[in-house]
Amino acid sequence: MAVHTPVTDGHDDHGHGAAHATSTGLSNNKMAMWLFLGSECLLFGGLISTYMLYRGRHPADLGPDQIYDIPFTSVSSFILLMSSLTMVLAVSAASMKDDRRTNLWLTITALLGATFVGGQVYEFTSFYREGLGFTSSLFSSSFYTLTGFHGVHVTVGIIMLMALVGINKRGRIPGQKAEVVELVGLYWHFVDVVWIIIFTLVYLIPS
Amino acid sequence: MSRRDTRLPARRRRTLGAVVAGAAALVLGGCAQDAPQDTWQPAGDNAQKIHDLQWPVFLVAGVIGVIVLAVVAFAVVRFRDRGQPMPEQSHGKPALEIALTILPALILVGVGIPTVSTVFDLAEEADTECIINVTGQQWWWEYDYPVQDGCGGISAPIVTSGQLVIPADTNVLLRLTSRDVIHSFWIPKLNGKKDTVPGRVHTLRMQADEPGIYAGQCTEFCGLSHANMKMEAVALFPADFQTWVANQLEDYQAPAEGSLAAEGEATFTANCAYCHQVNGLTTTAPDGSVTPVLANPDEFVVSGAAPNLTNLMTRNTFAGATWDLLTEECRDRVWNAPPEEFGERYLAGVSADCLNEVDLREWIRNAPAKKPMYATADQAANSGGKFRGMPALGLNESQIDQIIAYLLERH
Amino acid sequence: MSTTEHQSDPHVEPHAADVAHDGHADGEFAHKPDSYYVKIALILAVITALETSTYWIDFGAFFLPTLLILMAIKFVMVASLFMHLKFDSKIFSWMFYSGLLLAIGVYVAFLATFRFFAPT
Amino acid sequence: MAIIERPSTPAVVGAGAGAPAVVTPSQAYGVLRRPVAATGWRSWVFTVDHKKLGIMYGVVSLFFFLVGGFEALLIRLQLAGPEGTVLSAGLYNEMFTMHATTMVFLFVMPMAAAFANYLVPLQIGARDVAFPRINAFGFWCFLAGAIFINTSWFLGGAADGGWFMYQPNANALFSPSHGIDFWGLGLQITGIASLTGAVNLIVTILNMRAPGMSLMKMPIFTWMILVIQFLLLFAMPVITVALFLLMFQREFGATFFDVSAGADPLLWQHLFWIFGHPEVYIIVLPGFGIVSEVLPVFARKPLFGYRFVVFSGAAIGFVGWGVWAHHMFASGLGPVSVAVFSVATMLIAIPTGVKIVNWTMTLWGGKIWFSTAMLFAIGLIVEFTIGGLSGVTHAVAPSDTQQTDTYYIVAHFHYTIFGGAVLGLFAGFYYWWPKIFGKRLSESLGKWNFWLMIIGMNLTFGPMHIIGLQGQPRRMMNWTEARAGEGFFNLGFWNRVASVGSLILAVGVAFFIVNIWVTHRPSSKTPKSELDPWDARSLEWITQNPPKEHNFDSIPTVHALDEFFHRKYEVDHDTGEVTKVASAEEILAAEEAKADHHIHLPSPSYWPIILAFSLPVMGYGVIFNRFLIVAGALGVLLAMFGWALEPSVADDSDYDPPAEGGSNKELATIG
Ligand code: HEA
Ligand code: HEA
Ligand code: CUA
Ligand SMILES: [Cu+2]
C-alpha cells in the first residue's frame, strides 16, 4: 500500500475535508449546505405565501378551523422539535469521535422523524376521510402542497440519517466523519425550523 | 490584426447624428402621422395626462442617451491607439464617481415625483359620470351598460360587443373583468391599458374630447386569436349618445311576414339562437304558445358567452372588431367624418347598400376558417365539448342568404 | 449528494482572510456538554407548550404578536444554538439570514399587494 | 481497479515520464469501476474537468442560439408583410414562446455558465471548482432539460403560452397540448443545473482563491459571476415553486390558478416575476463582467473605479429584488403598489449608470486597440444604454400603461439583452478564444461579424421602438394594413425594415460560425496563438493556451488586482510611467519552474450523467405514463447511491507515491 508523503512546500494539494485550507478557512461542504439552506428559505417562503393567500378559500365546512387537530399536531411538532435535540447530540458525539453514541442518537433522530412523518400520514388520511382531498379546494391544495413538501424534506432527512448510520457502521464515511454528521444535522435542523414556522402560521393562527 | 480602425470615428459621428434625429423624430412623433393606435396622439384627458408625463421623460432619456453616446464617441476617437505611450494606470476618481451617482439620482427624483402624482390622478374615480361594464373573453369584448342615471340616463340594460360607445367629453368609468383568461383593454388615444382578470374587477377611466372612432386592441396574450381581438371606442356627442341608447332599447321588430328575413328568423332561431341572444326574439310552439328565445351559450362556449346580436347592424365591425360590417367606401365615410357629422353617420348604422357581405358570409359559412379558434368537435373534446369561439355550422348558401337578410334588420 | 462531496483542490494556504470570520468551523461548540443542549431543548419545549396553550386560552389582542414572537425565538434558538450559527463563522449566518430576510421581504411585499391575505 | 498514473498534457511530462505507470489500488470505491478514458468521447462524457464542462456548455448553448435565432427569423418572416401566412396562429404562438425560452434558458444562461465554468477557477488560481461532480451533474441536467423541452415539438406541439406563461391561459383547458407540461418540467430540470451551479461557484469563489487574492483583488468578471450566482441561488427556488404549482394544476387536478375555484391568477404573475426580474440581471451581468475585463485590456488602463463597479454590481443584484411588479403595472395592482414599484424601478438606473460611467471613463485617456473583442465591448456600452434608457421610460408607470405589451417593450429588452448580454458574450468569445482553444479567431472575419451584427440589431430592434409607440402590440401572429397607418411612422414599412434587419443579423451571426470553421478546420493555417495575445491583465493568462488539465503547475500568489499586468509591467508611482519588465513567457516559465509535485485532480464519474438523464425519464413519465416515473426514480436512486459511495478524490493511498526529484509529474485521475 502506497503511502502518501505530504508535500512540504505548504501547498496542501489533495485535501480531504481540510477545512483550513480554504480562503475563508471554512469548509466547502458546510458553506455549500448553508447556501443551499438559504436558497430553501425562498422555496418554503413561496409555498407558505401561497398557503397564506389561499387558506381562506374553501367551502364553509372544510376549512382549517374545522379540519385541524391542534392537540395532535402539537404532539407531533413537539416530537420533531425533540429530534433536533437528539440530532445535536449526535453531532456532538461525532465530534468527540464516539461512534457508538453517534449511531445511537442518529437512530433515535431518524425514529423521531419517522414518527413525525407517520403522524403526518395519519393526519393526511384522516383529513382525507373527512372529505379534504388534494383537489377539494384552494385551501386543501395549498395545504397539502406545503406540508407535503415539508414531509418530503423530512423523509429525505430520514434516508440520509439511516444511510449515515449504515455507512458509519461499516466505517465507510468518506472524509471527515464528524463533518458529514454535522451537515446532515444542519439539514435536519432546518427542516425543523421550517416546521416551527409552519406550525405557527398554518396551524396555530386561525384563518 | 488591425490595431486601428479608421472607419470607426466616422461611424460614431453618424450614429450620433442618427440618434439626435431619432430623438427629435420621437418628440415630433406626436404631431406626425396617422396610425390609429398611435400612443403619442392623446384624444382625451387621461391619455393627455400620460402624455404630459411621458414626453419630458423621453426628452430626458434622449438627452442622457445623446450625452453618453457623445462621450463614448469622443473617447473612442480621441484615445485610439496612435502609438502613444502606455497610459497612466489610474484607478478612478471617487469624487467624480460620487458626483455621477448623485446626478442621476437627482434626475430620477425629478421624474419620480410627477410619476407618482400621475399614478394617483389616473386612479381617481370620484368624478365618474357614467359606468360601463367591460368583459373580455376569447376573442371579443362585451360591453354592458347597467341601468343608471349617469350617461344621461339608461333605463334598461344594454348589451353590445366590439364597439364601445361612449358619450364624448364625459368621464366614463369602465369596470373590467374577464370570463376566461386574462385580456387587456386598451384604447391608446384615450388611456393606457388595464388587464381584465377573471375573478377581479378593475377600473379604467375613459374620456374622449371629440366624437370619433378610436381604435384599440387586446394586449394581453390570450391564446390562439389574440391578434384578432380588437375593439374600438366610439365617442358621440351626448345628444347623439342618447339617440344611440334609445336605438339599443327599441323593441324587437319581427321581419315582415313572408320576407326572406322572416325565413332568416327561423333559420337563426334554429341554428344561432342557442348561443346568440337577440332580445325580443320569440318562438311560437305548434300549440300556439309564444315563448322568448333565450340563448344559453354557457352550454356551448367555454367562456359562457357569445355576442349579443340584437343590434348587430348598429356596429361597424364584427368578430372582435376584426372585420368591417361596412364596405370600404361606407367605412371611410364614417371614419373620416368631421366631428360634427360623425354622430349622424355613425348612427345610420349598416344599411343594405353598405353591408360588407363578403366577410360576413364567410364568417357565417365557416367562422374558424376565418379567425383561428378552438371550435371543431375534436378541439372541444378536452373542454367538455364546449367551443372557444364560433364553430362552422354547415349552413347552405340559401340559409346564409336568409340569415343575412335577417341580420340586416337588426338595427 | 453534497454531503459526501469533497473539496477537490484545496491547494490554497489559509491566508489573511478578507472576509470577517470569527471562530472556527469546529472547536468551541463541539465541547458544549450534552446538558447544555438538553437545557435549550427544555426551553424550546416550554415555548412550544406556551404556543399551543393559545389553542385553549384566549390571549386577546396579544394573540398574534405573541405567537409570532415565540415563533421567531424558537427559530433563532434552533438556528443559533443547535445549528451553531452563533459559534460558527459569520459568513454562514450571513448566507442563511440573507436568504431568510430576502424571502420574508419579498413574500410579505407580494402578499401585501393583494391588500387582503385571504378573503372569505 | 487499476489506477493509471497519466500525464495529461504532454507539456507537463517530466523527463522519463513517458509510459503511464500502473499501480494497484488498496481499495475499490463505488459500485462500478470508475471511468478512466483520457481521450475519445468517454473523456468528455464522464469528465468532471471544469474546462471540458465549460466547453460543452458553450457548444450546446451556441447550438441553441442558432435554434432560437432560427425561430426568431421565422417570427420576423411572418411579420415582414401584412397578414403573414408563414406560420399558423398556433405555430406562431409556439414559436415566440420557444424563441424566448430557448434564448433565455438554453442560450444566455448556460453560455454564461460556460464562461463561468471555464474561467472562474482560472481567474482565481484554482485547479477546479469546489464540487466537480456536481458541476458535471449541472451540465447534464441542462442538456437533459434542454433536449426534453425541445422534444415537445415532435410530441404534439411546443409550449404556446408566451415565455411568462400567464395563468389561466396556460391551464390545460386553454392550452390542451402537452407543450406547457414539457416546458414546466424541462425548466425544472435545467433549474437544477442553475441551482447546483450557483452553490458550487459561490463556494469556489469564496473558498478557493489563490493565496493573496482578497475579494477586492478578485477579477471583475469573477465578481459579477459571484453576484449572479447569488441571484440564481435565491431566484431559482421561486420559479421552482411556480412550476410545481403549474405541474400540480395541469397534471394532478389542483386549482391554484383556476378562477372558478376562487384562485387569483395574479399569484402566478408575482411568483414568475419575483423570479423573472432578477433573471434579467442574471442575463445581463455576465456580459457586464466580460466587458469589464475586455475594456481595460484594450484601453490598456485598469478598470476605472473597480470598487464602484463591484458595489454597483452588488447593488443591482440587491435592488433587482424589489422591482418585480413593474411587469405588472397594467395588471391591476392598485395605485399604491404601482407607485412604489415604479419608484423602486427607477432606482436601478443609478447603479447601472455607475457602470456605464466607469466603462466610459476606462476608455478615457486610454490607448485603445480596436480588436473585435473591444468593438463588441464598446458596442455593448452604446446599445445597452439605449435599452436601459427605454427601461427607464417603462419605469414611469403611467407611460408604461401605454407601452406594456407593445413592441416598444420588445425593443427595450432586445436592446438590453442583445445589446447587453449577447454583445458581451461575443466580446468574451473573441477575447478568450485563444485561451480556450489555443488559436485566435480571425480578426477580419470578426470585424464583419461585429459590424453586420451591430447594423443588423439596430435595424431589427430599432424600428420596434417606432412600431411599439405606434401601438402595435407584441405576440401578434399578424398585423393588418387597416391599422398600419400611413406616412413616415407607418407600421408596414418599419416591420419590413425589422425583418430585413434580422436577416442581416443572421448573416452577422453566420460570420461567427464561419470564423470558427475557418480557424479550426483541419486545413486551417491559423497559427497557434501567442501566450498573451492581448497583453492581458488577469490571472487566467498565467497558464498555457489552452491551460493544462490542472490549470496551474504552481498556484500563483497574488499581490495586486490585475496581477498578471503587474508582473509584466512596472509602474512608476511618481511619473505614472509604465515599463515592461517581463514577458508572459518568462512569467509562466517562472511559475512552472516551481511546479507542485503532487497534484490530485478529481476523478471522472458515471453518476452525474446517469442521475441527470434519469430526470427527463421521470418527466416523460409525468406526461405520458406513470410507469416511467418509477423507472426514472429508480435511475435517480441508483445514481445517488453510486454517487454517495464514490469519493470525488481517490484516497491518498490510491495514488502513486510522489515522484522523487521534483519533476513536473502530474498524477492523473484514478480509475
Ligand atoms: C438584460 C435584461 C434586462 C435589463 C438589464 C433590463 C433593465 C431594465 N429594465 Fe427591463 N426588461 C427586460 C430585460 C431587461 N431589462 C425584459 C426581458 C423585459 C420584458 C419581459 C417580458 O415582458 O417579456 C423587460 C421589461 C421591463 C419593464 C416592464 C415593461 C412592461 O412589460 O410593461 C420595465 C418597467 O419598468 C423595465 C425596466 C427596466 C429598467 C428600469 C432597467 C434598468 O436596469 C436599466 C438601467 C440602465 C440605464 C438607465 C442606462 C444607463 C444609465 C445611465 C446612463 C445613467 C443615467 C440615467 C438616468 C438618470 C435615467 N423592463
Ligand atoms: C436572450 C434573449 C433573446 C435573444 C438573444 C433574442 C434575439 C432575437 N429576437 Fe427575441 N425575444 C426574447 C428574447 C430574446 N430574443 C424574449 C424573452 C421574447 C418575448 C417572448 C414572449 O413574448 O413570450 C422575444 C420576442 C421576440 C419577438 C416578438 C414576438 C412577438 O411578440 O410576437 C421578436 C420579433 O421580432 C423577436 C425577434 C428576435 C430576433 C430577430 C433576434 C435575433 O437577435 C436573433 C439573432 C440570431 C440569429 C439570427 C441566429 C443565426 C441563425 C443562423 C445564422 C442560421 C439559422 C440556423 C441554422 C441553419 C441551424 N424576439
Ligand atoms: Cu384577448 Cu389578447
Ligand atoms: Cu423587470
Side-chain angles (χ1 to χ4, degrees):
Chain A
M1 179 163 138
V3 180
H4 165 55
T5 333
V7 232
T8 48
D9 62 1
H11 289 295
D12 177 21
D13 37 1
H14 59 87
H16 285 185
H20 297 282
T22 63
S23 312
T24 55
L26 303 170
S27 142
N28 284 351
N29 296 328
K30 216 165 139 183
M31 186 180 283
M33 179 55 84
W34 275 114
L35 287 166
F36 173 68
L37 297 183
S39 168
E40 289 267 285
C41 289
L42 280 113
L43 183 91
F44 278 105
L47 295 169
I48 292 173
S49 311
T50 305
Y51 173 82
M52 294 306 271
L53 185 68
Y54 283 160
R55 64 184 175 155
R57 306 190 185 186
H58 50 76
D61 55 336
L62 271 182
D65 298 341
Q66 291 79 41
I67 286 285
Y68 293 154
D69 181 352
I70 301 290
F72 178 84
T73 313
S74 301
V75 172
S76 66
S77 306
F78 184 75
I79 289 171
L80 189 62
L81 190 67
M82 286 305 114
S83 78
S84 261
L85 172 64
T86 56
M87 184 72 233
V88 80
L89 294 177
V91 174
S92 174
S95 76
M96 295 196 277
K97 305 212 165 34
D98 184 342
D99 274 5
R100 203 187 53 81
R101 277 181 52 228
T102 309
N103 283 343
L104 180 69
W105 287 124
L106 287 176
T107 313
I108 296 179
T109 310
L111 284 176
L112 290 173
T115 315
F116 174 84
V117 174
Q120 202 169 34
V121 171
Y122 169 79
E123 189 188 39
F124 281 12
T125 37
S126 71
F127 288 1
Y128 186 74
R129 283 214 200 86
E130 288 175 55
L132 193 77
F134 176 65
T135 59
S136 304
S137 65
L138 284 168
F139 154 69
S140 77
S141 301
S142 48
F143 169 79
Y144 283 122
T145 304
L146 169 59
T147 50
F149 259 86
H150 181 264
V152 168
H153 274 74
V154 180
T155 310
V156 170
I158 295 172
I159 294 172
M160 295 203 301
L161 288 167
M162 295 194 321
L164 214 54
V165 174
I167 302 173
N168 207 1
K169 283 225 166 96
R170 295 189 192 162
R172 275 264 220 98
I173 294 192
Q176 277 189 324
K177 205 180 279 185
E179 187 183 52
V180 180
V181 177
E182 196 191 347
L183 292 179
V184 176
L186 288 178
Y187 175 84
W188 189 262
H189 294 305
F190 176 76
V191 171
D192 183 30
V193 292
V194 169
W195 188 257
I196 290 178
I197 294 178
I198 294 178
F199 180 55
T200 313
L201 293 185
V202 173
Y203 287 89
L204 291 180
I205 298 178
S207 56
Chain B
M1 99 224 51
S2 91
R3 291 197 162 207
R4 226 192 272 174
D5 189 331
T6 42
R7 282 170 309 156
L8 196 74
R11 150 90 181 145
R12 287 289 154 210
R13 241 174 281 131
R14 256 180 283 132
T15 314
L16 190 63
V19 167
V20 175
L26 276 181
V27 176
L28 296 175
C31 34
Q33 284 296 332
D34 186 24
Q37 290 175 193
D38 190 349
T39 61
W40 283 67
Q41 290 182 33
D45 263 1
N46 305 292
Q48 188 64 47
K49 283 193 179 109
I50 296 174
H51 191 67
D52 293 345
L53 177 68
Q54 81 179 353
W55 74 259
V57 175
F58 273 74
L59 191 66
V60 170
V63 169
I64 294 175
V66 170
I67 293 174
V68 171
L69 298 194
V71 175
V72 170
F74 180 82
V76 163
V77 178
R78 171 75 182 69
F79 300 108
R80 66 184 191 277
D81 187 350
R82 312 166 171 144
Q84 70 264 47
M86 280 289 273
E88 192 191 333
Q89 300 293 303
S90 76
H91 284 274
K93 300 191 180 58
L96 179 71
E97 299 265 4
I98 292 166
L100 286 176
T101 311
I102 292 174
L103 185 68
L106 290 177
I107 296 175
L108 289 171
V109 171
V111 175
I113 292 170
T115 298
V116 171
S117 78
T118 310
V119 166
F120 285 97
D121 247 20
L122 288 167
E124 181 64 51
E125 292 176 8
D127 52 1
T128 300
E129 298 162 74
C130 183
I131 292 178
I132 304 171
N133 296 321
V134 175
T135 311
Q137 51 263 295
Q138 288 179 330
W139 287 276
W140 57 283
W141 294 95
E142 181 174 278
Y143 311 109
D144 89 76
Y145 297 67
V147 176
Q148 58 189 295
D149 297 333
C151 300
I154 295 179
S155 57
I158 298 171
V159 180
T160 173
S161 69
Q163 288 186 323
L164 171 76
V165 181
I166 56 172
D169 209 14
T170 308
N171 284 327
V172 179
L173 191 71
L174 305 183
R175 295 156 40 88
L176 308 164
T177 189
S178 160
R179 292 197 172 96
D180 40 35
V181 303
I182 303 178
H183 307 269
S184 196
F185 193 84
W186 187 39
I187 308 283
K189 289 187 180 174
L190 302 186
N191 200 345
K193 55 187 78 69
K194 185 67 78 63
D195 286 2
T196 67
V197 181
R200 287 172 157 246
V201 178
H202 296 149
T203 54
L204 181 68
R205 267 158 47 116
M206 281 285 147
Q207 189 267 8
D209 292 337
E210 293 206 320
I213 300 193
Y214 303 95
Q217 200 160 347
C218 170
T219 46
E220 190 63 82
F221 178 63
C222 54
L224 215 52
S225 244
H226 167 60
N228 295 320
M229 183 168 171
K230 299 177 180 161
M231 63 279 202
E232 283 139 13
V234 178
L236 301 172
F237 283 129
D240 289 336
F241 182 74
Q242 288 316 310
T243 316
W244 180 82
V245 169
N247 264 347
Q248 300 292 306
L249 294 177
E250 258 170 26
D251 283 343
Y252 180 71
Q253 285 184 327
E257 202 84 35
S259 65
L260 188 62
E263 289 173 45
E265 182 182 73
T267 316
F268 185 88
T269 309
N271 292 291
C272 320
Y274 55 95
C275 287
H276 291 288
Q277 180 67 34
V278 171
N279 302 347
L281 176 63
T282 55
T283 170
T284 315
D287 65 359
S289 63
V290 176
T291 44
V293 177
L294 294 179
N296 51 341
D298 46 321
E299 285 185 19
F300 306 101
V301 184
V302 168
S303 67
N308 185 311
L309 299 182
T310 308
N311 295 299
L312 178 67
M313 292 300 155
T314 62
R315 349 204 229 265
N316 288 177
T317 50
F318 72 101
T322 306
W323 290 279
D324 286 303
L325 276 174
L326 292 171
T327 56
E328 216 173 311
E329 196 185 328
C330 300
R331 176 189 189 274
D332 286 347
R333 248 178 64 80
V334 179
W335 277 71
N336 300 335
E340 317 78 58
E341 285 168 45
F342 174 76
E344 189 195 329
R345 294 190 195 173
Y346 182 74
L347 288 174
V350 183
S351 63
D353 307 337
C354 275
L355 178 69
N356 167 14
E357 219 181 297
V358 182
D359 283 320
L360 188 57
R361 289 188 80 94
E362 280 176 6
W363 177 260
I364 295 170
R365 194 178 297 130
N366 188 349
K370 205 160 173 57
K371 177 168 174 175
M373 292 185 284
Y374 247 74
T376 63
D378 48 308
Q379 284 172 335
N382 82 304
S383 43
K386 293 183 189 173
F387 301 114
R388 291 191 276 141
M390 170 163 151
L393 292 156
L395 303 180
N396 62 38
E397 292 307 304
S398 69
Q399 285 173 309
I400 297 175
D401 289 341
Q402 299 161 3
I403 288 183
I404 299 252
Y406 174 69
L407 289 178
L408 255 175
E409 296 184 9
R410 299 307 106 217
H411 272 286
Chain C
M1 293 292 290
S2 58
T3 53
T4 54
E5 192 71 47
H6 288 238
Q7 299 151 250
S8 64
D9 185 24
H11 50 74
V12 191
E13 286 177 283
H15 56 76
D18 37 49
V19 188
H21 80 280
D22 47 343
H24 288 285
D26 20 57
E28 289 127 276
F29 71 78
H31 304 301
K32 289 269 188 295
D34 288 0
S35 59
Y36 173 79
Y37 295 117
V38 174
K39 263 184 241 153
I40 296 165
L42 276 177
I43 300 174
L44 288 171
V46 171
I47 299 180
T48 309
L50 210 66
E51 282 183 329
T52 3
S53 71
T54 59
Y55 180 63
W56 290 279
I57 307 164
D58 190 5
F59 283 74
F62 292 109
F63 170 71
L64 202 68
T66 314
L67 270 186
L68 291 179
I69 291 168
L70 291 178
M71 172 183 93
I73 293 175
K74 277 168 76 179
F75 187 103
V76 173
M77 278 180 76
V78 175
S80 324
L81 305 175
F82 282 0
M83 296 168 96
H84 305 311
L85 273 183
K86 186 169 167 220
F87 317 110
D88 231 331
S89 166
K90 285 271 182 298
I91 298 177
F92 294 149
S93 298
W94 180 81
M95 283 171 175
F96 181 59
Y97 282 115
S98 58
L100 183 72
L101 294 177
L102 187 68
I104 294 173
V106 164
Y107 289 123
V108 167
F110 140 64
L111 285 174
T113 62
F114 284 89
R115 269 179 280 170
F116 33 72
F117 280 30
T120 33
Chain D
M1 192 167 21
I3 293 174
I4 298 174
E5 183 188 295
R6 171 177 51 84
S8 63
T9 328
V12 204
V13 182
V22 178
V23 289
T24 315
S26 55
Q27 282 176 308
Y29 278 111
V31 183
L32 300 177
R33 289 170 58 112
R34 288 187 95 126
V36 292
T39 53
W41 62 271
R42 286 188 194 82
S43 71
W44 289 88
V45 170
F46 305 122
T47 188
V48 293
D49 178 353
H50 73 101
K51 296 183 290 303
K52 283 186 172 157
L53 290 166
I55 291 172
M56 288 194 287
Y57 260 118
V59 170
V60 176
S61 11
L62 190 60
F63 170 75
F64 280 111
F65 179 49
L66 297 183
V67 173
F70 180 67
E71 288 159 354
L73 292 179
L74 290 179
I75 294 175
R76 280 317 325 163
L77 224 54
Q78 168 89 347
L79 298 177
E83 315 280 4
T85 50
V86 178
L87 304 168
S88 68
L91 206 51
Y92 183 84
N93 297 344
E94 292 171 39
M95 209 52 76
F96 69 72
T97 306
M98 290 302 285
H99 159 65
T101 305
T102 305
M103 284 298 197
V104 170
F105 295 101
L106 310 183
F107 163 52
V108 176
M109 287 174 73
M111 189 56 91
F115 279 101
N117 251 299
Y118 199 99
L119 291 165
V120 162
L122 289 168
Q123 285 207 321
I124 62 173
R127 291 203 167 111
D128 206 315
V129 293
F131 304 104
R133 279 182 306 174
I134 290 183
N135 203 19
F137 174 56
F139 168 72
W140 296 112
C141 276
F142 154 59
L143 184 59
I147 294 172
F148 179 78
I149 295 180
N150 277 284
T151 52
S152 62
W153 285 113
F154 314 104
L155 296 171
D160 57 1
W163 87 286
F164 42 78
M165 216 48 80
Y166 272 6
Q167 293 284 353
N169 191 41
N171 274 359
L173 175 60
F174 298 109
S175 177
S177 84
H178 283 303
I180 293 178
D181 301 316
F182 276 100
W183 182 86
L185 293 163
L187 290 187
Q188 208 72 293
I189 297 172
T190 58
I192 297 173
S194 302
L195 190 68
T196 54
V199 172
N200 204 345
L201 283 167
I202 295 173
V203 175
T204 305
I205 293 172
L206 291 182
N207 261 358
M208 297 174 65
R209 280 163 287 142
M213 182 179 282
S214 63
L215 288 180
M216 280 301 144
K217 292 196 180 105
M218 214 159 69
I220 188 75
F221 173 74
T222 298
W223 248 116
M224 290 306 115
I225 293 296
L226 181 64
V227 173
I228 295 161
Q229 303 312 315
F230 270 102
L231 286 173
L232 282 168
L233 184 75
F234 295 138
M236 292 319 292
V238 186
I239 184 89
T240 303
V241 170
L243 293 175
F244 267 118
L245 299 185
L246 178 73
M247 179 176 95
F248 290 163
Q249 161 134 350
R250 287 184 62 101
E251 302 290 342
F252 306 125
T255 53
F256 293 109
F257 311 109
D258 185 345
V259 180
S260 59
D264 195 327
L266 261 54
L267 170 65
W268 172 270
Q269 299 189 9
H270 281 286
L271 289 177
F272 187 89
W273 291 119
I274 290 173
F275 152 81
H277 188 83
E279 169 72 15
V280 307
Y281 295 104
I282 291 168
I283 290 173
V284 85
L285 285 176
F288 284 6
I290 290 169
V291 298
S292 303
E293 295 280 350
V294 169
L295 288 166
V297 167
F298 296 102
R300 305 217 182 72
K301 273 176 78 224
L303 182 62
F304 190 87
Y306 168 85
R307 274 168 186 275
F308 281 84
V309 178
V310 167
F311 289 136
S312 66
I316 291 174
F318 183 75
V319 183
W321 283 95
V323 304
W324 76 86
H326 65 216
H327 297 273
M328 301 164 63
F329 283 153
S331 297
L333 293 176
V336 179
S337 307
V338 167
V340 168
F341 279 102
S342 180
V343 172
T345 301
M346 291 174 192
L347 288 182
I348 267 202
I350 298 170
T352 317
V354 169
K355 284 201 154 40
I356 303 281
V357 165
N358 282 288
W359 292 330
T360 313
M361 294 309 291
T362 303
L363 296 174
W364 202 268
K367 175 173 153 71
I368 300 171
W369 167 7
F370 294 107
S371 70
T372 308
M374 185 63 159
L375 291 178
F376 274 107
I378 296 171
L380 181 144
I381 305 181
V382 172
E383 308 293 351
F384 178 80
T385 302
I386 299 174
L389 290 168
S390 63
V392 173
T393 65
H394 308 327
V396 177
S399 323
D400 185 63
T401 61
Q402 290 286 26
Q403 299 159 1
T404 187
D405 278 315
T406 68
Y407 266 86
Y408 187 67
I409 305 293
V410 180
H412 157 67
F413 66 73
H414 283 95
Y415 266 87
T416 50
I417 293 183
F418 201 93
V422 178
L423 293 185
L425 293 172
F426 271 81
F429 292 151
Y430 280 91
Y431 177 58
W432 278 304
W433 202 271
K435 171 92 279 162
I436 296 171
F437 298 106
K439 286 179 176 187
R440 272 203 242 185
L441 289 173
S442 153
E443 282 286 302
S444 49
L445 285 174
K447 300 266 152 70
W448 279 96
N449 180 188
F450 170 74
W451 286 110
L452 284 170
M453 267 174 70
I454 282 288
I455 294 168
M457 83 154 274
N458 284 294
L459 282 181
T460 309
F461 305 125
M464 291 184 187
H465 291 108
I466 297 174
I467 301 175
L469 291 175
Q470 287 297 306
Q472 180 174 319
R474 59 195 280 204
R475 298 176 162 185
M476 291 289 160
M477 52 129 5
N478 57 30
W479 53 272
T480 56
E481 285 292 5
R483 297 214 174 169
E486 286 143 21
F488 184 68
F489 288 130
N490 81 80
L491 298 180
F493 175 70
W494 292 109
N495 268 303
R496 221 157 296 136
V497 172
S499 295
V500 171
S502 72
L503 292 177
I504 297 176
L505 186 48
V507 175
V509 174
F511 263 96
F512 180 63
I513 309 294
V514 169
N515 204 343
I516 297 176
W517 166 246
V518 167
T519 310
H520 290 284
R521 80 196 147 170
S523 59
S524 162
K525 296 203 177 57
T526 314
K528 190 169 165 20
S529 159
E530 327 61 321
L531 202 53
D532 180 20
W534 318 120
D535 199 2
R537 309 173 76 90
S538 45
L539 218 54
E540 74 270 25
W541 294 97
I542 314 187
T543 59
Q544 296 286 353
N545 291 347
K548 297 170 185 170
E549 192 171 353
H550 55 284
N551 296 352
F552 300 92
D553 279 355
S554 74
I555 303 298
T557 302
V558 174
H559 309 280
L561 179 64
D562 291 346
E563 174 71 17
F564 184 43
F565 178 86
H566 286 285
R567 290 193 189 190
K568 284 185 292 189
Y569 292 92
E570 207 165 77
V571 179
D572 186 317
H573 284 291
D574 300 323
T575 60
E577 215 169 285
V578 181
T579 29
K580 186 147 186 169
V581 291
S583 71
E585 285 75 9
E586 290 162 0
I587 294 164
L588 186 57
E591 284 293 326
E592 289 185 341
K594 50 178 179 162
D596 294 337
H597 300 281
H598 193 194
I599 301 167
H600 289 186
L601 284 177
S603 316
S605 174
Y606 295 118
W607 304 117
I609 185 169
I610 295 178
L611 183 53
F613 275 93
S614 301
L615 298 174
V617 176
M618 290 176 75
Y620 288 116
V622 170
I623 296 174
F624 295 116
N625 181 340
R626 301 287 136 100
F627 169 75
L628 280 175
I629 303 185
V630 179
L634 284 178
V636 168
L637 279 178
L638 175 78
M640 299 223 300
F641 184 67
W643 186 319
L645 291 179
E646 176 194 86
S648 72
V649 186
D651 199 71
D652 291 343
S653 52
D654 275 0
Y655 287 91
D656 216 8
E660 302 300 325
S663 71
N664 295 336
K665 183 156 70 166
E666 180 197 8
L667 288 170
T669 50
I670 57 161

